[in-house]
Amino acid sequence: MDKELLAMLVCPLCKGKLKYQREAEELHCLYDGLAYPVRDGIPVMLPEEARALSADEKLRASPGRTGEA
């Protein structure tokens, strides 16, 4: 995904930053707990197309998390 485009995109609900998850081809909003799909390189920024992040996904992506138990 283009870095310039990613820098301009924000969550359509809270206007917060999004984190690109390359493996899942999704843009994650940790505040709202939503994952917006990226289809054929195009972000689908519709809340009704987003899926809810699981608690584990939110914890793994939270800032300051080291992944150690």
Side-chain angles (χ1 to χ4, degrees):
M1 170 164 245
D2 182 54
K3 288 183 181 184
E4 288 182 33
L5 175 61
L6 184 57
M8 290 187 284
L9 291 175
V10 296
C11 175
L13 297 177
C14 71
K15 309 300 185 236
K17 286 188 173 189
L18 298 168
K19 183 168 180 154
Y20 181 53
Q21 298 297 319
R22 186 181 317 262
E23 310 82 40
E25 292 192 37
E26 294 177 327
L27 292 166
H28 290 187
C29 174
L30 298 178
Y31 182 78
D32 290 322
L34 295 174
Y36 295 94
V38 177
R39 297 183 185 134
D40 297 320
I42 301 169
V44 180
M45 303 304 297
L46 300 170
E48 58 269 16
E49 292 289 323
R51 71 172 181 85
L53 292 172
S54 70
D56 287 340
E57 287 175 306
K58 289 181 202 176
L59 284 174
R60 276 193 302 256
S62 62
R65 180 89 171 144
T66 62
E68 297 173 6

